[in-house]
Amino acid sequence: MTWTDRLRGKLPLLLIWLAVCAVLIFVSFDQIASGIGWGPDDQLRQVQLRDWMAGQSWFDTTQYRLALPDSQPMHWPRLIELPLALVILILNPLIGPASAEMAALVIVPLVALGIAMWLVAKIAEQLFDRQIALLSAALTATAVAVVAQLRPMRIDHHGWQIVLALVVLWTMFWPDKRKAGQVMGLSLALWLSISLEGLPLSVAFIALLAFRWVVSLDEGVRLFWTLTGFLVGTLVLYLVNHGHIEILANYCDAISPAHLMACAAGAIVILPVIKFAPASWMLRLMALGVAGVAALGSIYASTPQCVGSAFGQLDPLVRDYWLVNVREGMPIWTQPWKEIVNLFGGSIIVGLGSLAYIYRQRLDAVDREKLFLLTYALLWAFVVSLLVQRAAAVAAVYALPLVGWAVHNAFLRARAITRPIARILATVAVVFLILPGPLMLGMVNAVSGNNAQADAEKTTTSDAGLACDSSESLAGLNALPPTNIVAPFDFGPEILVQTPHSILASSHHRNDAAMADQIRIFTSAPETARNILEARRIAYIITCPDEAELKTYAKMHPDGLSAMLDKNHQPDWLKPVPLPDSSLSLWRVVPK
């Protein structure tokens, strides 16, 4: 096949991707124009990127304008900042630093989206024809949970986790078991080096390979090279990420020496057994058990606080006031029903329904072995998404090949109907198959009048002043000389992006001592709060009448500082500072 043939074969997918990019850029235009990432994680990543490009060490991920004087290293490695930095370095001489950064924040997530769409098509091709594969890739744009992580200005690590989850699943279909194992192992290593959120699915894939090896030696090659690639890749990436800085520090929320020791302990036991391939399945099962005990025992002996939770080192006060309110990290049954419908009422529910239909009809056209692999991955991802809401993106992207199959077949059946009116209605109904949840919500909102109510609230907010967390409101702080500020957790990263100020805390748990102090400031009696402010050298406090975090403090501690400020009963050592055209309330702390 010539290169022109290869290009011609990829051209439809390329055109689909470009069309999706155009739509996403259009709907994200306001956020792009602001030059700021969507949420606190994107914004703090943006600050971390700027600090690195301004000369901060690759190995030093400390945010020095956060939690003075005891700032901690962030739990994010710089790996996903590499493509962002590359785009900035290429475009900086042409369009200047600010425009180059904005372009990077648009281009890199969309490139990751393109890779994800290509991988969806490659996986779908394993089960269905090319037409369904292209449709599955195109339907990526309709998966709400996926697009939320792969849209312009979304530079957090979740988008790359989706890409790596697809790579891992794709390798399960490769006939070359050695190569597949090596790529899977390295992909798992990169996935977990970016974030330990991928641990449940990583365990699920390795467990499947291990089970197949115990039952039949056929998967021994794939398992051996997966574990070897994972062990070597994890060690290399750890050294690349940390160098000599805190190289021996153990954390529960990221790959640490304790995790490396556990991997090594398990590998020392299991790799030789896989290599020598004992004939008895009992021996293979016992070896797996011994390896598992060695790995878990190593973790328990070195970091028992990390067993069962990445937040084992978190301050209990921060856990009780902050962590339990981080909705994206909570089980699905704790979410508002509309959010459940929005996230699950699309590719996930349609994919699971299609899966049930295929198995029930026992369709001979689908390879049963490959269908099992997709089923296994989707069900595992679905279970994880029920326990952790933000994991819904992986389940949604795994379901896309099945959604493509369902939409394709439904459309063909609709077009085959002879009666015109029935054919038109059936064809329109296919649209509901693509996005049943969001479309249902739209109809519910239209009937109940919620859309009109939301528009009225926006108008009211606009008349009263800019929203507290808008870029315009927070940019008003630039009128102050560089100083140290206490602001609600989710406001902090945007303050770091837009201003030269420092903040006490943000919604990032490594600095939990500062987070605990911020909670104490807002929940304590005025004099206790003032002592903490003095110790932390805080010059200003920012509040907002409608901010959920501050409302929680005021409700739980009616005599605390937050409740007093909410009623405009501030102590005499707090002086209001006007901020024109803003809903923010700014208070200056008068020194003792």
Side-chain angles (χ1 to χ4, degrees), residues 235 303 327 504 583:
L235 177 59
T303 52
R327 285 201 339 227
L504 174 58
S583 297

Side-chain angles (χ1 to χ4, degrees), residues 9-10 13 114-130 132-137 140 166-167 169-171 173-174 370 374 401:
K10 293 178 173 59
L13 182 57
I115 297 172
M117 293 172 68
W118 178 74
L119 289 167
V120 167
K122 299 300 288 185
I123 292 169
E125 282 179 345
Q126 302 296 321
L127 294 100
F128 311 115
D129 61 32
R130 175 67 175 167
I132 293 177
L134 284 174
L135 178 58
S136 301
T140 305
L166 287 167
V167 172
L169 175 57
W170 184 34
T171 63
F173 299 102
W174 294 9
K370 292 178 178 179
L374 181 59

Side-chain angles (χ1 to χ4, degrees), residues 65-69 481-487 500-505 533 535-541 587 589:
R65 290 194 291 144
L66 176 65
L68 295 172
T483 188
N484 202 8
I485 296 174
V486 169
H501 303 309
S502 300
I503 59 171
L504 174 58
L533 290 165
R536 287 283 186 173
R537 294 175 293 177
I538 303 297
Y540 292 90
I541 295 177
W587 313 88
V589 180

Side-chain angles (χ1 to χ4, degrees), residues 451-480:
N451 287 334
Q453 181 181 352
D455 291 339
E457 288 176 356
K458 286 182 180 179
T459 303
T460 303
T461 301
S462 177
D463 292 341
L466 296 171
C468 290
D469 59 350
S470 69
S471 57
E472 295 85 355
S473 276
L474 294 173
L477 298 173
N478 281 309
L480 304 174

Side-chain angles (χ1 to χ4, degrees), residues 309-581:
S309 173
F311 299 99
Q313 297 168 312
L314 197 65
D315 187 299
L317 187 67
V318 178
R319 181 184 295 109
D320 294 341
Y321 280 83
W322 171 74
L323 183 62
V324 298
N325 293 311
V326 180
R327 285 201 339 227
E328 66 175 18
M330 294 292 110
I332 194 64
W333 54 84
T334 66
Q335 313 295 330
W337 73 269
K338 288 187 177 181
E339 190 161 344
I340 297 174
V341 172
N342 206 29
L343 289 175
F344 286 78
S347 64
I348 295 177
I349 193 67
V350 175
L352 291 172
S354 303
L355 204 58
Y357 179 85
I358 292 173
Y359 275 107
R360 184 173 181 178
Q361 296 297 318
R362 300 182 179 181
L363 301 180
D364 296 331
V366 182
D367 186 304
R368 310 299 289 182
E369 171 63 19
K370 292 178 178 179
L371 182 62
F372 167 77
L373 292 175
L374 181 59
T375 302
Y376 179 85
L378 175 56
L379 291 179
W380 261 106
F382 175 64
V383 170
V384 174
S385 69
L386 295 178
L387 301 175
V388 181
Q389 182 247 59
R390 61 173 162 251
V394 175
V397 82
Y398 279 173
L400 285 171
L402 295 162
V403 180
W405 174 86
V407 171
H408 175 78
N409 283 278
F411 182 78
L412 291 180
R413 291 192 177 189
R415 299 306 300 164
I417 298 174
T418 55
R419 288 177 296 176
I421 295 178
R423 183 172 63 250
I424 293 171
L425 292 175
T427 304
V428 171
V430 175
V431 178
F432 283 84
L433 192 62
I434 297 173
L435 280 172
L439 288 173
M440 186 188 78
L441 280 181
M443 290 188 295
V444 169
N445 288 336
V447 171
S448 62
N450 285 349
N451 287 334
Q453 181 181 352
D455 291 339
E457 288 176 356
K458 286 182 180 179
T459 303
T460 303
T461 301
S462 177
D463 292 341
L466 296 171
C468 290
D469 59 350
S470 69
S471 57
E472 295 85 355
S473 276
L474 294 173
L477 298 173
N478 281 309
L480 304 174
T483 188
N484 202 8
I485 296 174
V486 169
F489 288 137
D490 286 346
F491 290 16
E494 192 167 345
I495 293 173
L496 295 180
V497 172
Q498 293 203 89
T499 77
H501 303 309
S502 300
I503 59 171
L504 174 58
S506 68
S507 50
H508 297 91
H509 62 271
R510 277 283 180 93
N511 289 284
D512 61 332
M515 295 179 75
D517 274 353
Q518 176 156 316
I519 293 169
R520 293 186 184 100
I521 288 170
F522 284 117
T523 59
S524 298
E527 282 310 308
T528 302
R530 189 180 192 186
N531 291 334
I532 301 173
L533 290 165
E534 290 279 344
R536 287 283 186 173
R537 294 175 293 177
I538 303 297
Y540 292 90
I541 295 177
I542 289 175
T543 61
C544 175
D546 299 320
E547 216 291 314
E549 175 193 339
L550 302 183
K551 287 288 186 184
T552 299
Y553 299 150
K555 181 179 180 181
M556 297 181 68
H557 298 272
D559 296 325
L561 181 62
S562 181
M564 293 181 65
L565 294 179
D566 190 47
K567 300 171 185 175
N568 287 320
H569 294 162
Q570 74 272 14
D572 57 7
W573 48 267
L574 280 182
K575 301 300 180 185
V577 178
L579 277 178
D581 300 319

Side-chain angles (χ1 to χ4, degrees), residues 198-242:
L199 185 59
L201 278 176
S202 300
V203 170
F205 280 109
I206 292 177
L208 176 60
L209 295 181
F211 172 78
R212 289 183 158 189
W213 171 69
V214 170
V215 174
S216 170
L217 288 172
D218 291 342
E219 285 293 348
V221 173
R222 194 189 300 264
L223 178 61
F224 179 86
W225 287 107
T226 296
L227 295 177
T228 302
F230 175 72
L231 182 62
V232 173
T234 302
L235 177 59
V236 170
L237 287 170
Y238 182 77
L239 295 175
V240 166
N241 287 329
H242 295 83

